[in-house]
């Protein structure tokens, strides 16, 4: 893991007027406090397959069964991967239930929050299932409906007003936009770079709309190293000139880094715009790239090879026999693989990434999720 980067965290909270800091100070000097019972945390998530806990299954009926889920759930849950996702590890750390998809019609439980993420989601085009703007409009309906049910005395398995007010609003989206643009440009950097501002404008608008509807705590993930994906490496013939020193496609990672640089600036602008909000930018790219650059450090092998797929080395990916389709096979030990199916990360990799994110070493400002909930 790379060394923690030094950052200055500026929080515009006077400890004399903030109950959280009163509690912290009280505990530090062993003075009992009767007002230190924090509100249970809630997560409200938006995104794509990186954090989809069953939205695409509920929304489209697309069967996502075994071998997806084989490591932890031992059944298909709608997650793309052999087990838990990064967001699942967040929930475990915060002692929350795993998030129910917004679209789940049978026995959902929204007491810990709600997940609007759907695999394949993009920022653009608008108004198609299930683009980011649609997820935001779903949230507004969800909030209004939840509060209406609360007013009628119906409180079972739904979020209350405090949950919406103090919840952390998470967004992890953009990789599908970048990949679609890359394919359309025949893997050329400049045309994709020209489209990035339009993708980011949608993310910025989403945060502004969430703020207008009461959100004050935002947790924004950047996108990972797309050029290290076994799927991308297998689909696009390349020479040594097309890859970097660890074998990842250069142009894919260049557009990802450009997107991330501008996303960080969007988060900075929003902090200036919304003085009473906290916008945390999380550098997931660096964490994930480190896995591919130093797999042995984390106990991984054959970094650029999918665990579940077809074709063997170097990438074990074939579009005609993807994970779960006729002809596929699974590696002997999924916990040694970074990538599960050529695109989505293994549970073992997600655990490492989640742990790094939760350390706050890759966040700007440098806050943990726990600290964000308490502010």
């Amino acid at each position: 893991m790379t060394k923690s980067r030094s950052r200055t965290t500026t929080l515009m909270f006077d400890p004399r007027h903030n109950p959280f800091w009163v509690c912290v100070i009280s505990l530090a000097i062993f003075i009992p406090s009767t007002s230190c019972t924090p509100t249970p945390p809630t997560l409200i998530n938006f995104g794509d397959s990186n954090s989809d806990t069953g939205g695409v299954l509920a929304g489209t009926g697309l069967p996502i069964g075994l071998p997806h889920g084989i490591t932890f759930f031992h059944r298909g849950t709608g997650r793309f991967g052999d087990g838990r996702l990064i967001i699942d590890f967040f929930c475990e750390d915060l002692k929350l239930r795993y998030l129910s998809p917004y679209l789940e019609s049978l026995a959902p439980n929204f007491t810990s929050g709600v997940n609007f993420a759907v695999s394949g989601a993009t920022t653009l085009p608008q108004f198609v299932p299930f683009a980011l703007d649609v997820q935001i409009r779903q949230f507004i309906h969800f909030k209004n409906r939840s509060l209406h049910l609360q007013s009628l005395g119906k409180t079972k398995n739904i979020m209350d007003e405090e949950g919406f007010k103090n919840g952390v609003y998470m967004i992890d989206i953009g990789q599908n936009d970048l990949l679609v643009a890359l394919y359309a440009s025949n893997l050329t950097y400049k045309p994709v770079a020209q489209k990035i501002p339009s993708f980011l404008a949608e993310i910025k608008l989403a945060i502004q709309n969430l703020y207008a509807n009461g959100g004050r705590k935002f947790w924004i993930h950047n996108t990972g190293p797309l050029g290290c994906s076994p799927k991308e490496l297998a689909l696009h013939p390349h020479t040594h000139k097309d890859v970097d020193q660890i074998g990842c496609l250069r142009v894919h990672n260049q557009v990802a880094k450009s997107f991330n640089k501008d996303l960080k600036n969007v988060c900075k602008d929003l902090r200036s715009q919304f003085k009473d909000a906290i916008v945390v930018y999380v550098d997931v790219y660096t964490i994930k790239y480190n896995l591919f650059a130093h797999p042995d450090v984390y106990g991984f092998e054959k970094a650029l090879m999918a665990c579940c797929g077809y074709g063997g080395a170097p990438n074990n990916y074939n579009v005609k026999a993807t994970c779960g389709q006729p002809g596929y096979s699974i590696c002997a030990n999924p916990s040694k693989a970074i990538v599960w199916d050529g695109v989505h990360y293994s549970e073992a990799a997600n655990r490492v990434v989640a742990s790094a994110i939760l350390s706050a070493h890759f966040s700007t400002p440098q806050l943990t999720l726990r600290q964000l909930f308490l502010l």
Side-chain angles (χ1 to χ4, degrees), residues 175-188 192 224-239 242-243 247-253 255-256 292 303-306 314-319 322 339 341-345:
Q175 69 175 25
N176 293 322
D177 295 275
L178 295 175
L179 289 173
V180 170
L182 274 167
Y183 301 158
S185 72
N186 196 26
L187 305 188
T188 305
V192 182
L226 307 178
C228 300
S229 163
K231 173 190 173 183
E232 294 303 310
L233 288 162
L235 287 181
H236 307 294
H238 54 275
T239 68
D242 301 314
V243 297
C248 299
L249 292 166
R250 292 182 186 276
V251 66
H252 286 65
N253 285 352
V255 298
F292 294 104
L304 302 177
M305 186 169 169
N315 307 122
N316 196 39
Y317 182 88
N318 187 306
V319 70
T322 57
V339 180
D341 59 359
V343 179
H344 308 97
Y345 286 58

Side-chain angles (χ1 to χ4, degrees), residues 1-7 281-283 287 355-368:
M1 190 68 67
T2 54
K3 294 182 178 178
S4 168
R5 291 163 290 173
S6 175
R7 296 189 183 96
Y281 168 87
V282 184
D283 183 12
I287 300 171
S355 178
I357 293 172
L358 291 168
S359 75
H361 294 162
F362 298 87
S363 299
T364 305
Q366 203 166 54
L367 286 170
T368 68

Side-chain angles (χ1 to χ4, degrees), residues 235-315:
L235 287 181
H236 307 294
H238 54 275
T239 68
H240 70 280
K241 294 181 180 179
D242 301 314
V243 297
D244 64 13
Q245 67 274 14
I246 66 169
C248 299
L249 292 166
R250 292 182 186 276
V251 66
H252 286 65
N253 285 352
Q254 285 173 346
V255 298
K257 286 188 284 190
S258 292
F259 174 90
N260 293 340
K261 179 182 177 181
D262 292 345
L263 178 62
K264 188 174 185 179
N265 287 331
V266 166
C267 291
K268 182 179 179 181
D269 291 343
L270 288 168
R271 288 188 210 106
S272 298
Q273 181 180 354
F274 301 133
K275 300 296 186 182
D276 61 337
I278 304 171
V279 183
V280 179
Y281 168 87
V282 184
D283 183 12
V284 178
Y285 180 99
T286 295
I287 300 171
K288 289 184 173 179
Y289 190 84
N290 284 340
L291 299 187
F292 294 104
H294 309 288
D296 54 317
V297 172
Y298 304 96
F300 297 120
E301 301 171 353
K302 301 177 181 178
L304 302 177
M305 186 169 169
C307 172
C308 183
Y310 175 82
N315 307 122

Side-chain angles (χ1 to χ4, degrees), residues 6-270:
S6 175
R7 296 189 183 96
T8 301
T9 303
T10 302
L11 300 178
M12 293 177 287
F13 293 93
D14 187 333
R16 296 169 297 177
H17 304 297
N18 191 296
F20 165 63
W21 292 112
V22 172
C23 291
V24 171
I25 294 169
S26 297
L27 291 171
I29 61 176
F30 302 102
I31 296 175
S33 174
T34 59
S35 60
C36 296
T37 53
T39 302
T42 51
L43 290 174
I44 301 98
N45 184 66
F46 306 87
D48 52 33
S49 60
N50 286 325
S51 57
D52 181 358
T53 56
V56 73
L57 174 61
T60 69
L62 181 69
I64 306 171
L66 293 171
H68 296 291
I70 193 171
T71 295
F72 182 79
F73 299 102
H74 309 299
R75 62 182 179 86
T77 63
R79 292 166 172 81
F80 281 102
D82 62 311
R84 289 164 288 186
L85 308 180
I86 292 169
I87 197 166
D88 294 318
F89 288 111
F90 288 172
C91 289
E92 289 184 3
D93 183 73
L94 296 165
K95 304 296 188 291
L96 300 176
R97 300 173 58 95
Y98 298 135
L99 296 188
S100 289
Y102 163 72
L103 295 170
E104 181 55 69
S105 59
L106 298 175
N109 188 310
F110 299 119
T111 54
S112 292
V114 56
N115 194 357
F116 296 91
V118 175
S119 298
T122 56
T123 66
L124 291 171
Q126 293 180 316
F127 312 123
V128 297
F130 291 92
L132 181 58
D133 70 306
V134 174
Q135 294 181 27
I136 299 300
R137 287 188 283 126
Q138 288 174 331
F139 161 76
I140 294 170
H141 168 71
F142 176 82
K143 179 182 178 182
N144 291 338
R145 180 65 174 156
S146 297
L147 296 182
H148 175 66
L149 291 173
Q150 284 275 323
S151 71
L152 299 177
K154 300 177 181 181
T155 60
K156 185 178 179 180
N157 295 340
I158 63 175
M159 289 177 62
D160 58 17
E161 188 167 5
E162 196 68 18
F164 289 105
K165 179 181 177 182
N166 293 317
V168 169
Y169 293 76
M170 310 179 73
I171 295 178
D172 185 337
I173 201 167
Q175 69 175 25
N176 293 322
D177 295 275
L178 295 175
L179 289 173
V180 170
L182 274 167
Y183 301 158
S185 72
N186 196 26
L187 305 188
T188 305
Y189 172 81
K190 188 174 180 180
V192 182
Q194 291 173 341
K195 294 180 179 179
I196 287 175
S198 63
F199 305 153
L200 294 173
E202 290 300 311
I203 294 176
K204 185 173 185 178
L205 179 61
I207 297 172
Q208 290 170 330
N209 283 334
L210 291 171
Y211 179 90
N213 283 275
R216 291 297 181 268
K217 301 173 183 180
F218 301 96
W219 187 267
I220 313 300
H221 287 187
N222 71 10
T223 200
L226 307 178
C228 300
S229 163
K231 173 190 173 183
E232 294 303 310
L233 288 162
L235 287 181
H236 307 294
H238 54 275
T239 68
H240 70 280
K241 294 181 180 179
D242 301 314
V243 297
D244 64 13
Q245 67 274 14
I246 66 169
C248 299
L249 292 166
R250 292 182 186 276
V251 66
H252 286 65
N253 285 352
Q254 285 173 346
V255 298
K257 286 188 284 190
S258 292
F259 174 90
N260 293 340
K261 179 182 177 181
D262 292 345
L263 178 62
K264 188 174 185 179
N265 287 331
V266 166
C267 291
K268 182 179 179 181
D269 291 343
L270 288 168

